[in-house]
Amino acid sequence: MTTYGTLDPIGSGKAKNFFDNAQNMDYWANSPSLVEYPDRFGVKRTTINGMQVKFSAQMVSQALQFNTQITQQAAKFDTQIKQEDMDWRIQNESQRHAAAAALQQQALNYYSMIQASGFQVAGIYAAGLEIKDYNKVVVVDGVVYKPQPTTAVPFVLTGIPATDLPKFYAIGDGQLKTQMALPNGLSLSGHFTGGNAAQALTYVTPELFGAGKTGDDTGAIQNAIDFAIANKISTVMGCNSYNISNTLLIAGAGVQGVEVRLMQLKVMDTFISPKDKNGKVEDIGLWNAPPTVRIGDNASNMANINLHIDYIDGNNRADGVANFGFGYSLSHIHIGYAVNCIKVVASGKHLWPNASIRFTGFYWVNNWIGMVVENSTSGTSPIVEGWKIEICFMAANRYGGIWMCKSGHYAQIRGDLDFNGRWLSVGRLSAETNLGTMDGLKGLRITNGTTQSEFLFRYTYQGRIYVVLAEGRNVSIGESTGSSYKAGDVLTCTTMPAVSLTLDGVSVCADNPSGTNFFDILHDFDGQPFSAMTIDCGYLSTVIGSMLHTNDIRFHNSFNRISSSTNGLAVGNSGEVMSLHNLAHSDDPFLNLSRKWVNIDRKIYQKEHKYTGSEVLATVASSDSAYLDVLAVHDLGTDKTADEGSKYRIEIGSNYQGCGASFDIWLKGEGNVSVTKRTMLNRAFKFRWVEILGSDGVTPVGIMLQLRQQAQSSINFLINIVRAN
């Protein structure tokens, strides 16, 4: 056997056999070249097993390479052996589990076969009762037990539950129901606080009542609401999109209230249609659309109602939320995004005051009208007042954003409104006959002989009468041909022939020079003593209607510099001139103020009060020669355009009957004085003007009015001096 160099003995049998079978070793050992050129090949000698063998360096290198290859093959072979061993173990374990599962399934099949054969009640638990087979059951405190598979039958009960029941197990859900109903029943399902399911149920969902299964979720949502109210569960939580074909009702909540939160509510094409009193289906209009949600009952005025709908689509068939019966108060209604509703919020069908309700939302757009606030006509004081209305942006609603229909006193409106009322024509009347007979009536049709529109309301503003008409199309400037009506048209009512209205002007949205005016809030308070509203909006285009001067109104827009007012008083400011306006009478200012002047654009009415400049009271004792100084007058430099001097009007009165005087004085400089328009009443006194000299005793610095009298021991004189130029 030959070993190359310093190689360790090869542990692999394959390597050893290869060396033992090498047949060219003798050739290498006896090669003449190794003897003839020992220095060239670096011949070495070694003895193994008594045999002398010659090696060259090249042979050693070849042997090392070959040994490396053999070692790698050996390692690969060992890895393959280990993997095969692992695969076998895995397969064996899998087969073992499969066998166990098969045995378990056989056992289950066996027990199922027994159960399928039908249980037979052996009797009520008692000592001596014999259970003869596995399908025999015994009833213990209302819970049914059957023998464990390991219990030998027949089995005779001892009457001691602690001894017998471990050999049985409960069947059916009786025991589970009993245990879950215990005070710590939820702990059976891993709930960390214990308690039972009824105690943990703080809200219900429409899905618990079948929502999402049929495509019409009306019944499921209604059942969830009714269940929550009846069982005093605080909240109905719907986190999906729901389709409804009928009105949802919130009723019976009393003052305990309820919270209903629905993510999305859509009115179906099959939603109920409005019907007249004879049951005939009507065309949908402003006043007959059924609501998606109705709040109220005939038991009491509800409170603490928290209705939260993130998105509502009325499909141009339904109102959003409406009241009826005794309605609701002291509640919060939130409609985030409202679209295609007839009225997003409606009122007027209630029997009791519905007051102090908060309405919020994010974006109400493309509805017929955002909100109609009105009293009812029947019941016990069925008013609407004190509503808090805050919608982030109410825009592009056909007939306006908010219509305060002779009700809603003390309302508070906030948010932004724009682009509303584009289907409205507002006519200014030059003459009218029987217009008042139309007040409070709904659905009246007005025509000019060509086009009919619905009469909404009339209002008086700055002494002129206007009528608001709902047209059947968009009539705003830039989006249409404009109003169907014009100045000179005579309007009549289709159902009230005695009514006649003559127009001398018509306004529609976007008809101002900038094309930016829209009818956002309709303030229908004609004939009312006040409305007492607070309107505080960021951007709002126009508020139209009567009695605006009874409100505190503040908003801004891009075309009206005097939009804000308090009880009709508006303040404008151009930066150079501040103006005060009484908007109840005119848009023109009654007072303008600049840095240099005050301009009152009306006459000054002082009633019985006098006009006073500067007044001096002087008591003059009797004297036959001495004059008393009473008033110093100067030629002032203020309020002059030219070098015109100063002119004054002097009025002198006294406590001595008939003793007084009036006259004008004109000063040019300090020494030049002229007295004109002199009038003396009772010459019991005298007056004169004397120069006031400066400290040099020569230069005049003014004039002094002096008085003397000798008619009484003393007379009180009141001198009123008013500058005239």
Side-chain angles (χ1 to χ4, degrees):
M1 176 180 176
T2 302
T3 303
Y4 299 129
T6 59
L7 293 176
D8 293 331
I10 303 300
S12 170
K14 293 180 180 180
K16 184 176 184 299
N17 292 337
F18 179 84
F19 289 129
D20 290 341
N21 296 328
Q23 298 180 5
N24 58 354
M25 292 306 175
D26 291 338
Y27 171 78
W28 292 343
N30 298 313
S31 173
S33 64
L34 296 179
V35 178
E36 294 177 357
Y37 308 104
D39 295 334
R40 180 180 178 185
F41 292 100
V43 176
K44 296 181 180 180
R45 298 176 182 272
T46 185
T47 302
I48 299 176
N49 296 330
M51 183 173 63
Q52 191 177 49
V53 183
K54 298 178 181 179
F55 299 91
S56 70
Q58 184 176 10
M59 291 178 179
V60 172
S61 175
Q62 292 174 345
L64 288 173
Q65 293 177 6
F66 182 77
N67 184 63
T68 299
Q69 295 174 355
I70 294 302
T71 302
Q72 291 174 346
Q73 292 177 355
K76 183 176 181 181
F77 178 78
D78 291 342
T79 300
Q80 182 178 356
I81 292 299
K82 291 178 180 179
Q83 183 62 46
E84 291 173 354
D85 180 73
M86 180 63 71
D87 293 342
W88 180 86
R89 291 177 182 275
I90 292 174
Q91 182 179 8
N92 181 70
E93 187 71 12
S94 176
Q95 291 173 346
R96 187 179 68 82
H97 282 298
L103 292 174
Q104 184 179 18
Q105 185 60 48
Q106 290 175 1
L108 290 174
N109 292 340
Y110 171 73
Y111 297 133
S112 297
M113 180 183 66
I114 293 178
Q115 291 178 350
S117 65
F119 296 125
Q120 297 178 7
V121 178
I124 304 300
Y125 180 79
L129 181 65
E130 184 179 22
I131 307 301
K132 297 181 179 181
D133 206 344
Y134 287 103
N135 67 341
K136 299 292 184 180
V137 297
V138 62
V139 180
V140 184
D141 295 330
V143 180
V144 178
Y145 289 84
K146 65 177 293 184
Q148 294 273 9
T150 56
T151 300
V153 292
F155 181 86
V156 179
L157 299 174
T158 66
I160 304 173
T163 300
D164 296 335
L165 293 186
K167 297 179 173 59
F168 293 76
Y169 66 88
I171 61 173
D173 59 358
Q175 185 182 36
L176 180 61
K177 287 180 178 179
T178 301
Q179 292 175 332
M180 289 292 287
L182 294 175
N184 64 341
L186 278 183
S187 62
L188 298 175
S189 60
H191 196 276
F192 63 95
T193 63
N196 57 44
Q199 294 166 345
L201 186 60
T202 59
Y203 69 90
V204 295
T205 69
E207 285 70 20
L208 289 172
F209 297 86
K213 293 182 178 180
T214 65
D216 184 351
D217 303 308
T218 309
I221 300 174
Q222 188 63 64
N223 289 336
I225 294 172
D226 294 344
F227 183 87
I229 293 174
N231 292 277
K232 292 182 170 54
I233 296 172
S234 66
T235 305
V236 176
M237 182 71 70
C239 298
N240 290 295
S241 177
Y242 303 100
N243 301 312
I244 60 172
S245 62
N246 206 332
T247 297
L248 300 172
L249 175 63
I250 299 177
V255 296
Q256 83 180 34
V258 68
E259 180 175 2
V260 178
R261 301 179 68 93
L262 302 173
M263 186 181 78
Q264 194 171 78
L265 204 59
K266 293 185 176 182
V267 168
M268 303 172 68
D269 292 338
T270 56
F271 195 79
I272 58 173
S273 299
K275 297 180 180 179
D276 62 16
K277 61 182 180 180
N278 298 318
K280 181 181 178 181
V281 174
E282 298 179 317
D283 293 334
I284 294 173
L286 271 174
W287 309 109
N288 63 355
T292 58
V293 179
R294 178 174 287 157
I295 305 175
D297 56 42
N298 292 317
S300 66
N301 180 255
M302 289 185 290
N304 295 318
I305 303 299
N306 188 351
L307 174 62
H308 187 114
I309 304 175
D310 292 302
Y311 180 100
I312 185 169
D313 185 346
N315 196 17
N316 289 307
R317 299 182 58 87
D319 290 340
V321 177
N323 56 1
F324 89 108
F326 285 96
Y328 61 106
S329 298
L330 305 169
S331 298
H332 179 196
I333 308 300
H334 175 85
I335 300 177
Y337 190 106
V339 64
N340 298 326
C341 294
I342 307 303
K343 301 183 291 290
V344 181
V345 173
S347 62
K349 296 183 178 179
H350 52 290
L351 306 173
W352 194 259
N354 281 204
S356 301
I357 305 171
R358 184 182 179 211
F359 295 89
T360 60
F362 298 134
Y363 190 31
W364 295 5
V365 62
N366 291 331
N367 304 285
W368 288 29
I369 191 167
M371 179 179 293
V372 175
V373 183
E374 62 174 333
N375 298 330
S376 181
T377 57
S378 61
T380 303
S381 188
I383 62 173
V384 170
E385 66 179 22
W387 284 12
K388 288 81 174 158
I389 304 167
E390 185 173 357
I391 313 301
C392 290
F393 192 31
M394 195 181 300
N397 299 292
R398 292 183 186 180
Y399 300 120
I402 301 173
W403 181 1
M404 309 301 291
C405 190
K406 291 183 173 58
S407 66
H409 301 76
Y410 315 110
Q412 300 153 53
I413 299 176
R414 299 186 62 194
D416 296 325
L417 296 91
D418 201 9
F419 308 111
N420 297 291
R422 292 180 296 173
W423 291 38
L424 294 179
S425 285
V426 178
R428 187 178 63 200
L429 302 184
S430 59
E432 58 87 7
T433 302
N434 294 320
L435 174 60
T437 61
M438 303 174 70
D439 285 347
L441 301 179
K442 297 177 179 177
L444 296 179
R445 307 296 295 180
I446 287 289
T447 180
N448 60 355
T450 302
T451 303
Q452 287 191 18
S453 296
E454 182 175 349
F455 172 81
L456 297 187
F457 66 97
R458 58 124 173 208
Y459 69 91
T460 303
Y461 182 67
Q462 295 180 356
R464 300 299 302 269
I465 301 176
Y466 299 81
V467 292
V468 180
L469 308 178
E471 296 216 37
R473 60 183 179 88
N474 184 341
V475 295
S476 62
I477 301 300
E479 298 181 276
S480 72
T481 57
S483 176
S484 302
Y485 309 97
K486 63 183 184 301
D489 280 357
V490 176
L491 308 182
T492 58
C493 179
T494 59
T495 56
M496 303 177 70
V499 171
S500 176
L501 313 173
T502 303
L503 301 178
D504 74 349
V506 179
S507 178
V508 296
C509 290
D511 63 357
N512 67 328
S514 61
T516 52
N517 64 313
F518 295 87
F519 306 130
D520 291 326
I521 295 180
L522 312 181
H523 192 265
D524 174 16
F525 279 86
D526 206 70
Q528 299 290 304
F530 65 89
S531 66
M533 291 170 49
T534 299
I535 300 174
D536 186 3
C537 295
Y539 191 96
L540 186 152
S541 183
T542 307
V543 182
I544 62 172
S546 301
M547 306 301 292
L548 294 177
H549 60 277
T550 66
N551 299 322
D552 185 2
I553 300 175
R554 182 167 67 177
F555 64 91
H556 302 281
N557 56 42
S558 58
F559 62 90
N560 186 357
R561 64 186 179 88
I562 55 170
S563 57
S564 299
S565 66
T566 298
N567 292 338
L569 174 63
V571 178
N573 200 327
S574 67
E576 295 293 331
V577 178
M578 176 180 285
S579 58
L580 302 183
H581 307 251
N582 183 355
L583 297 181
H585 294 159
S586 173
D587 289 340
D588 297 329
F590 64 84
L591 180 67
N592 291 290
L593 303 94
S594 75
R595 290 182 298 172
K596 297 181 178 181
W597 46 259
V598 176
N599 176 22
I600 300 176
D601 190 37
R602 302 287 187 275
K603 65 181 180 180
I604 297 177
Y605 175 48
Q606 296 183 255
K607 207 172 181 181
E608 72 277 7
H609 299 286
K610 67 181 181 180
Y611 177 57
T612 302
S614 296
E615 285 190 331
V616 176
L617 177 63
T619 301
V620 181
S622 177
S623 174
D624 59 358
S625 61
Y627 281 81
L628 180 68
D629 292 345
V630 294
L631 179 64
V633 183
H634 304 274
D635 181 10
L636 301 178
T638 55
D639 298 330
K640 285 185 176 179
T641 303
D643 187 19
E644 69 268 30
S646 299
K647 185 177 181 180
Y648 298 89
R649 179 69 181 173
I650 307 295
E651 297 284 346
I652 301 176
S654 74
N655 63 342
Y656 184 54
Q657 183 177 5
C659 184
S662 65
F663 48 87
D664 292 347
I665 62 172
W666 178 78
L667 290 81
K668 176 66 173 170
E670 296 296 350
N672 190 356
V673 180
S674 297
V675 179
T676 62
K677 298 182 180 179
R678 177 171 175 164
T679 301
M680 292 292 292
L681 302 174
N682 189 328
R683 297 181 179 270
F685 78 102
K686 291 184 178 181
F687 71 89
R688 70 182 184 184
W689 296 95
V690 297
E691 288 184 342
I692 304 173
L693 300 179
S695 59
D696 60 1
V698 177
T699 305
V701 294
I703 59 173
M704 177 66 70
L705 174 65
Q706 296 179 333
L707 299 180
R708 181 180 72 83
Q709 66 87 18
Q710 61 186 90
Q712 298 290 319
S713 59
S714 68
I715 298 177
N716 293 327
F717 290 94
L718 183 64
I719 301 97
N720 182 17
I721 179 171
V722 178
R723 184 173 173 184
N725 75 325

